[in-house]
Amino acid sequence: MPDAKTPGSKKLYVRTYGCQMNVYDSERMSELLGAAGYEATPSPDEADMILLNTCHIREKAAEKVYSELGRFKDLKAQRPGLRIAVAGCVAQAEGEEIVRRQPLVDLVVGPQSYHRLAEMAARAGNGTRALDTDFPEEDKFAALGRRSPAPRAPAAFLTVQEGCDKFCSFCVVPYTRGAEVSRPAQAILDEARDLVARGVREITLLGQNVNAYRCTRGDRPLTLAALIRRLAEIDGLERIRYTTSHPNDMGDDLIAAHGECDKLMPYLHLPVQSGSDRILKAMNRKHTAQSYLRLVERIRAARPDLLLSGDFIVGFPGESEADFEATMALVREVGYGQAYSFKYSPRPGTPAAERTPVDEETMSERLARLQALLRQQQQAAQERMLGRTVDVLFERAGRMPGQLVGKSGHLQAVHVDGADARIGDIRRVEITASAPNSLAGRIVAA
Ligand code: SAH
Ligand code: SF4
Ligand code: F3S
C-alpha cells in the first residue's frame, strides 16, 4: 500500500473561478497538496479530493459554486472517502454557511489561510469538517516556502500584493481578501528566479491593487516601478506585466517605467468602472472621468503603442441614461483594445447593496450597447496589427496539428501554423489575419 506521502498516491481535481489571483492560489494549493501525496487529475470522477477555488465578485459567480457542488452528490455517495474542499472568496465570505447549504463539503479554507490546507485535509473527512477563514498573523507566503521544482509553462503569475483598502461601494474584495498587504521584494525576486530557472520567460505580477505595491523593508519604501526594474535585471526573464491597477495608484515612476523598461510589456489593465462623475462618486472610486482621461494621456505619452484594457459596471444603483451615455463617451475617447463589462450585481454587506437597483431590462440593454462598442474597438485594435511584425511568446500547442499559440506584447493571442518553433520561444511573427478574439501570422527571420 502506498502511504499518504507517496507522490501520486491520491488524486486531486481542482477547478478555479474568478481572477488571476485565484489561478495563482490554485497553483500554490496544488503544489502544497502535491507534497502531501496528491497528484493532479483532469477528471473529478477519479479524484480523492475535489477543490473548488471560488469567486464571490458577482452573484452568478457565487451561485455557480453551489450548483457545481450539488453535482458531486452521486460521486460522494459512490466514494465515501472523497473529500470536497471549498477555497477562495466564497469560502471567506460564507464560511460555515457553505456547509449548512451543502453538507457534502468537508473543508472550507479562506484565501489567507490556505497554507494550512494539507494539515486540514489530513484532519477532514468521514463526517469531520475542517474550517479556516482566519486572517492569520503569520506570512502565508513564507509558510508556503519555495515553488515546486517541476518545469513550467513559459508564462506565470506571481502574487506580489493582496487585499484592498479602497472599499468601492459595490465590491466584496476588501472583505474577502482583507487589508492591503505587500510581500517583501526579496521574496518576490527569489520566487521569480525560481520560476525562470524552471523555464518561465514571462511573469505577470498580481495584486487586487497591484500598483499600490510598497515594500517597506529596507531604508526606503520600494514601489512597484522599482520592483519591476529589479525584476528586469533577471537574465532569462524576458517579459513583465502587472494587473490589476487602480487609477489613483498610477505613480509617476510607474508611468515612466512604461517608457523606459523594455521588458515591461505595452499593455495596461486600468479599470474605470463608469464615465459619470456622479456615479463614480457613489461608487467611492475617488477619481473622476477627467482625471482618468488625463492619466491615460500621460501613460500614452510615455508609451504611445500601449494597449489599454478596462472594467465597466453598467446599471449601478441610480445610473441614469445620461450617466450611461457618459460611460459610452469615455469609452469612445479612450479607445480600448480589450475590456470586461458587467451588469451591477448587489453584494451582501456592501454599501451599494442597500440602494434601489436599476431595472433588469435597462441594465441588459445598456450592457449590450456598451459591449457592441467595446467589441468594435477590440476588432479595430486587432486590425491595426495586420501587416505588422511583432514578438510572440509561444505558450501552447493549438487545436490544429502543427499549430502553436502565443501572445504578442499587447497580450493578443496569435496563432501560427506549421511553425518552426517550440513552446517557450519568442519569435518575430508577421500578422496576416484577424479573427474576433485572436490574430494569425507567420514566423519571419529575426
Ligand atoms: N481591483 C480591481 C477590480 C477587482 S474586481 C479594480 O479596482 O479595478 C474585478 C471587476 O469586477 C471590477 O473591476 C468590477 O468591474 C467588477 N465588479 C466588482 N464588483 C462588482 C459588482 N458588485 N457587480 C458587478 N461587477 C463588479
Ligand atoms: Fe474592489 Fe475597488 Fe478594491 Fe478594486 S479597488 S478590489 S473594485 S474595492
Ligand atoms: Fe473573485 Fe475573489 Fe478574485 S471575489 S475576482 S476571486 S479576489
Side-chain angles (χ1 to χ4, degrees):
M1 277 289 284
D3 69 39
K5 294 251 172 190
T6 311
S9 64
K10 292 183 194 161
K11 300 234 182 304
L12 170 70
Y13 172 78
V14 181
R15 180 168 297 180
T16 307
Y17 304 82
C19 61
Q20 291 104 326
M21 206 152 244
N22 263 10
V23 176
Y24 175 87
D25 290 342
S26 286
E27 271 184 32
R28 303 283 334 230
M29 288 189 276
S30 301
E31 289 176 7
L32 187 76
L33 291 169
Y38 285 90
E39 182 187 41
T41 170
S43 154
D45 298 338
E46 57 168 36
D48 297 286
M49 173 154 13
I50 291 175
L51 173 65
L52 301 188
N53 194 11
T54 62
C55 174
H56 204 244
I57 202 80
R58 284 169 291 276
E59 190 180 359
K60 275 200 187 128
E63 283 309 313
K64 244 192 252 167
V65 173
Y66 285 106
S67 70
E68 190 63 32
L69 283 169
R71 289 209 253 149
F72 298 135
K73 196 167 180 177
D74 292 345
L75 211 57
K76 182 109 178 186
Q78 289 159 22
R79 315 187 56 177
L82 170 66
R83 291 185 179 93
I84 297 183
V86 177
C89 291
V90 174
Q92 190 63 47
E94 310 235 313
E96 266 175 88
E97 177 62 22
I98 296 178
V99 180
R100 264 195 293 276
R101 258 184 84 172
Q102 188 42 273
L104 293 176
V105 173
D106 301 288
L107 229 142
V108 177
V109 64
Q112 297 310 334
S113 39
Y114 69 73
H115 52 293
R116 299 169 176 165
L117 185 57
E119 172 265 320
M120 289 172 69
R123 210 157 18 98
N126 302 323
T128 309
R129 296 216 170 80
L131 196 128
D132 192 340
T133 51
D134 283 357
F135 288 101
E137 285 293 312
E138 76 262 17
D139 178 351
K140 169 179 79 194
F141 296 102
L144 285 167
R146 300 284 289 259
R147 300 299 303 267
S148 140
R152 301 182 48 87
F157 292 132
L158 203 176
T159 294
V160 303
Q161 178 275 338
E162 278 197 286
C164 181
D165 296 339
K166 299 262 187 311
F167 291 92
C168 299
S169 63
F170 51 81
C171 183
V172 292
V173 170
Y175 311 97
T176 61
R177 293 276 172 164
E180 246 170 61
V181 181
S182 295
R183 292 178 67 188
Q186 198 50 53
I188 295 163
L189 290 162
D190 287 346
E191 189 170 331
R193 282 191 205 97
D194 275 357
L195 290 171
V196 170
R198 279 144 214 186
V200 168
R201 306 194 75 192
E202 171 178 309
I203 290 180
T204 302
L205 306 174
L206 299 181
Q208 268 88 17
N209 260 304
V210 70
N211 55 349
Y213 176 84
R214 199 158 280 264
C215 171
T216 49
R217 296 204 183 159
D219 314 332
R220 277 188 305 149
L222 196 81
T223 60
L224 183 69
L227 178 68
I228 289 170
R229 290 180 197 269
R230 298 272 292 275
L231 285 161
E233 290 165 10
I234 298 175
D235 279 338
L237 178 59
E238 306 298 339
R239 293 174 156 199
I240 302 169
R241 305 178 187 277
Y242 61 93
T243 199
T244 297
S245 297
H246 192 286
N248 291 6
D249 292 315
M250 236 20 243
D252 291 344
D253 60 344
L254 189 55
I255 296 175
H258 274 283
E260 292 161 7
C261 183
D262 291 340
K263 290 186 180 179
L264 184 56
M265 292 294 104
Y267 177 95
L268 180 63
H269 185 64
L270 195 65
V272 65
Q273 314 298 355
S274 168
S276 153
D277 287 347
R278 208 174 62 83
I279 295 297
L280 286 169
K281 192 157 196 286
M283 287 176 163
N284 193 30
R285 286 292 290 184
K286 300 198 166 79
H287 59 75
T288 62
Q290 260 315 312
S291 70
Y292 180 85
L293 289 169
R294 267 203 308 275
L295 176 63
V296 166
E297 227 169 77
R298 286 172 55 220
I299 303 166
R300 281 185 168 150
R303 184 77 203 227
D305 70 337
L306 187 103
L307 189 140
L308 212 70
S309 158
D311 287 346
F312 300 88
I313 295 179
V314 303
F316 184 83
E319 186 187 75
S320 66
E321 183 59 26
D323 292 321
F324 175 69
E325 274 306 332
T327 300
M328 295 290 277
L330 179 136
V331 170
R332 283 189 207 101
E333 185 154 353
V334 171
Y336 288 90
Q338 202 269 333
Y340 303 93
S341 45
F342 316 97
K343 280 186 212 171
Y344 168 71
S345 169
R347 306 312 292 131
T350 61
E354 312 289 318
R355 303 176 200 165
T356 315
V358 169
D359 68 275
E360 183 61 34
E361 201 183 324
T362 307
M363 266 206 270
S364 297
E365 185 264 332
R366 286 181 190 162
L367 185 67
R369 271 153 71 197
L370 176 62
Q371 290 188 336
L373 175 60
L374 290 168
R375 227 178 359 257
Q376 227 174 32
Q377 293 193 340
Q378 177 174 338
Q379 228 154 34
Q382 294 205 161
E383 274 157 22
R384 278 197 292 278
M385 304 307 289
L386 289 173
R388 284 179 56 181
T389 300
V390 298
D391 284 332
V392 172
L393 168 59
F394 289 107
E395 293 182 12
R396 59 183 174 87
R399 254 182 259 147
M400 307 295 176
Q403 191 180 56
L404 283 181
V405 187
K407 294 271 169 60
S408 69
H410 291 112
L411 207 60
Q412 290 159 322
V414 181
H415 292 72
V416 174
D417 287 321
D420 166 31
R422 279 170 313 189
I423 290 171
D425 286 353
I426 296 177
R427 301 286 290 273
R428 302 287 294 159
V429 173
E430 187 191 332
I431 304 300
T432 54
S434 167
N437 291 308
S438 65
L439 299 167
R442 60 163 180 270
I443 294 180
V444 297

